[in-house]
Amino acid sequence: MAAQRRAGSRAAASGGAGAGAPGEERRRRSSVMKGNSQKNSQRKWLKVAFLLSCAVLGCLLSRNYLFSEEGVTEVLAHHGEILKDKFIEVPCSEDYDSHKRFEGCTPRKCGRGITDAIISRGEAERIRRLAEKGLSLGGSDGGASILDLHSGALSLGKHFVNMYRYFGDKVRDIFTKEDFHLYSELRQRIQQKIALTFGISSASMYLTKPTFFSRINSSEAKTTHDEYWHPHIDKVTYGSFDYTSLLYLSDYTEDFGGGRFVFMDEGANRTVEPRAGRVSFFTSGTENLHRVEKVHWGTRYAITISFTCNPDHGIGDPVIT
């Protein structure tokens, strides 16, 4: 009987082990499936993370570089950002060698700068109102209207008139001494900024002509004066220019579309998106070949303020009597 019980116990033990084998197999398979599921989940999240990273990288790249039919365009200044100071140095061209050099002023360091820190948006709005008042007297039939407070030149239809002579006392009713004082103050700040950036004496620089307000819209050009979008070099076009600056008085994408300022470098374009109060400035030679994009909608306001190192080409601030 004892032997039978021991045999039965061994059989039971043997039967128990046999019965447990399928359970072990199920647990092993479950563990393998769970592990595979975790690996698949990890792969899926790695793929998602990779795609997100690519998207973020793409956004970062597209923020600074745009692709167009003309090639790569680098955005130097976005309209939505506020720049205290940005400066890009470029090699000087030989343009200055064909003109009389003025020590302490003629460019030996060349480049382009952008700042949102010297003119407030409130001041830009005030000076824009000055431009609007003056341009209300006339305006081009085409897309580009000019107002020059120094010479009095004003676009009128397909021509220009001297607004001081053409409108006489009416001009004095439109402008105030405070308007002209603000114009002079902002000009001086820009002049000092240029001098500081290029390491020259502000006193050695002179305001020169043409210095003017521009109002650009999408109207079809009627004369060559309306075709503002052609590439040009200020030193070649005007001769007297050594330093050029622009004070923007309206906002890209909010007040107008198109109309960005484009430096045309070999192999790439580099643009400045206008922002009210933003000042861009640069040496005027071939190293800064540039153009303005066509305005597609809205109205773009700006002031071009130019400086020379030659006192013979200097002009004074405009005055109203």
Side-chain angles (χ1 to χ4, degrees):
M1 291 292 294
Q4 289 177 343
R5 283 196 297 271
R6 284 195 297 272
S9 296
R10 284 195 298 269
S14 175
E24 288 291 336
E25 181 65 21
R26 284 194 297 272
R27 284 193 294 272
R28 186 182 67 78
R29 289 178 180 174
S30 177
S31 177
V32 169
M33 291 174 64
K34 186 175 180 181
N36 289 338
S37 177
Q38 288 175 340
K39 287 178 182 178
N40 289 335
S41 180
Q42 287 173 349
R43 288 194 194 100
K44 183 165 67 173
W45 283 111
L46 284 171
K47 185 176 180 180
V48 170
F50 175 75
L51 292 173
L52 286 173
S53 298
C54 289
V56 170
L57 181 60
C59 288
L60 290 173
L61 288 172
S62 65
R63 176 175 170 78
N64 291 314
Y65 295 93
L66 301 175
F67 297 88
S68 67
E69 294 177 359
E70 300 174 358
V72 178
T73 295
E74 178 185 355
V75 182
L76 297 179
H78 292 265
H79 71 282
E81 63 183 331
I82 301 175
L83 295 172
K84 182 177 180 182
D85 284 300
K86 185 169 188 174
F87 181 74
I88 300 94
E89 187 168 358
V90 297
C92 291
S93 65
E94 297 178 355
D95 295 346
Y96 310 100
D97 296 335
S98 59
H99 296 263
K100 183 178 179 181
R101 298 190 71 90
F102 293 85
E103 197 60 36
C105 182
T106 299
R108 293 191 180 277
K109 170 186 175 182
C110 294
R112 52 198 69 151
I114 308 155
T115 179
D116 295 315
I118 62 172
I119 310 293
S120 72
R121 289 179 68 82
E123 289 169 327
E125 290 173 6
R126 287 170 59 195
I127 205 75
R128 172 175 165 168
R129 286 197 292 271
L130 186 161
E132 289 171 337
K133 287 191 292 185
L135 287 164
S136 69
L137 294 171
S140 170
D141 287 343
S145 299
I146 298 300
L147 169 65
D148 185 336
L149 295 179
H150 302 268
S151 68
L154 173 69
S155 300
L156 187 65
K158 293 182 176 64
H159 307 284
F160 290 93
V161 297
N162 183 321
M163 67 176 179
Y164 298 122
R165 290 201 298 263
Y166 194 85
F167 293 102
D169 291 340
K170 189 174 182 180
V171 171
R172 295 176 181 83
D173 295 333
I174 288 179
F175 298 122
T176 66
K177 290 183 178 180
E178 289 74 18
D179 289 334
F180 281 51
H181 176 76
L182 176 63
Y183 180 94
S184 176
E185 182 184 337
L186 300 187
R187 185 273 302 169
Q188 290 177 46
R189 278 190 232 162
I190 293 170
Q191 182 170 340
Q192 290 164 3
K193 181 63 179 178
I194 293 172
L196 181 65
T197 300
F198 288 100
I200 61 176
S201 168
S202 176
S204 68
M205 299 168 61
Y206 302 89
L207 193 65
T208 193
K209 61 182 180 181
T211 284
F212 57 91
F213 288 96
S214 59
R215 181 185 69 192
I216 304 175
N217 58 37
S218 59
S219 299
E220 182 183 354
K222 303 297 183 182
T223 70
T224 55
H225 297 295
D226 296 319
E227 297 180 10
Y228 55 85
W229 54 82
H230 298 298
H232 64 279
I233 300 158
D234 290 344
K235 189 71 177 169
V236 174
T237 303
Y238 302 109
S240 63
F241 282 31
D242 289 301
Y243 300 93
T244 306
S245 69
L246 293 109
L247 168 58
Y248 298 108
L249 306 178
S250 48
D251 292 312
Y252 173 68
T253 73
E254 294 182 23
D255 297 314
F256 61 92
R260 296 183 304 171
F261 186 94
V262 184
F263 291 106
M264 303 179 69
D265 296 331
E266 186 175 354
N269 292 327
R270 293 177 169 87
T271 70
V272 176
E273 296 178 351
R275 170 186 170 88
R278 171 165 290 168
V279 177
S280 66
F281 54 92
F282 48 93
T283 46
S284 305
T286 302
E287 67 277 0
N288 282 315
L289 171 68
H290 61 274
R291 69 181 183 89
V292 174
E293 294 175 332
K294 288 185 179 181
V295 170
H296 302 307
W297 59 266
T299 306
R300 177 190 191 270
Y301 283 89
I303 315 175
T304 298
I305 304 175
S306 47
F307 298 95
T308 183
C309 296
N310 188 340
D312 293 339
H313 295 298
I315 61 174
D317 286 324
V319 293
I320 189 166
T321 58

